[in-house]
Amino acid sequence: MADLIPSISEKIGRFGVLCVGVVGFAALGACARPPVSSEINDPHEAENRHVHAFNVALDKAVLRPIAEGAGGSGTGPFATGVKNFASNLDAPGDVLNDLLQLRVGRAAHNTLRFAVNSTIGLGGLFDPARAMGVEAKETDFGETLYVWGVNEGYYMELPFIGPSTARDTFGRVVDYAINPLGLFVKPPESYIGTAAQVLDKVESRARHAETVDSILYGSADSYAQTRLLYLQNRHYQLGQTPADDSFEDPYAQ
């Protein structure tokens, strides 16, 4: 126990330094939120198309067959439990990003949701918070950067992950680094969370099979279609544009 306390204190100290650095970075950003550009910023389209071709080949050879082989629609009790558990693991990161965005009410909302689902919901396998009217209000560090006034930068397609932007790619890295659960959950226990994320990816592919197949295999130019729909959907998530109901992220968790 004596050895454990300094270890936890050291982790909290490093986490605090990281948070201070993040907040300091925010001070360098503009206060006004950046406007939506009417033009697609894709200076690395040739490279992105190569990555897109790799992702489509991976989906065709691995992800889609596994999702189809699971024999379900991604909406059964098992799939729902996996989705709930994976979502609950992300909740502490949502709370931290809410605080960095100065959305204290949303931070309290997501904290309550995490507490309820982690206890009554048996670690997040069930979602009693939703039945209580405490719906998920997801966010990420990419949105935090947007709130701070950072432009989205150029479009990117990432191997295994899919469509993104320069801002959201940096946000993914920071989200991984600052998630509070990472302070205390280490291997081998952390492998459970990783496995849940992978399983949820497979179940998500099964849930949205028809839409994803139409985008990746039914489009004349699946790269351009994926890019357009991703950017439209992301702008909607950030409150910048109306929704495009036709988009389903092929790589959503």
Side-chain angles (χ1 to χ4, degrees), residues 15 18-19 22 85-103 106-115 118 136-145 148 171-185 197 234:
F15 181 69
L18 179 60
C19 287
V22 167
F85 183 73
S87 177
N88 197 55
L89 292 177
D90 290 334
D94 293 337
V95 173
L96 181 55
N97 276 298
D98 286 331
L99 292 174
L100 292 173
Q101 296 165 23
L102 301 181
R103 293 170 170 170
R106 277 185 44 156
H109 177 100
N110 282 328
T111 299
L112 175 60
R113 176 177 172 79
F114 178 70
S118 297
K137 294 185 177 181
E138 298 176 349
T139 185
D140 51 57
F141 195 74
E143 182 173 4
T144 298
L145 291 173
W148 289 350
R172 287 177 181 271
V173 175
V174 175
D175 277 326
Y176 177 81
I178 68 175
N179 191 320
L181 285 182
L183 286 173
F184 305 104
V185 182
Q197 296 286 354
R234 185 55 170 163

Side-chain angles (χ1 to χ4, degrees), residues 26-39:
L28 299 177
C31 294
R33 299 180 183 183
V36 179
S37 174
S38 59
E39 298 180 358

Side-chain angles (χ1 to χ4, degrees), residues 172-219:
R172 287 177 181 271
V173 175
V174 175
D175 277 326
Y176 177 81
I178 68 175
N179 191 320
L181 285 182
L183 286 173
F184 305 104
V185 182
K186 297 297 180 183
E189 290 80 4
S190 62
Y191 297 153
I192 298 175
T194 302
Q197 296 286 354
V198 172
L199 284 173
D200 186 45
K201 189 178 185 71
V202 173
E203 297 294 350
S204 177
R205 180 62 175 87
R207 281 193 295 272
H208 306 304
E210 183 176 348
T211 303
V212 174
D213 285 347
S214 69
I215 295 173
L216 295 185
Y217 306 111
S219 303

Side-chain angles (χ1 to χ4, degrees), residues 63-82:
L63 190 55
R64 184 170 66 169
I66 293 176
E68 292 176 346
S73 61
T75 58
F78 176 78
T80 301
V82 169

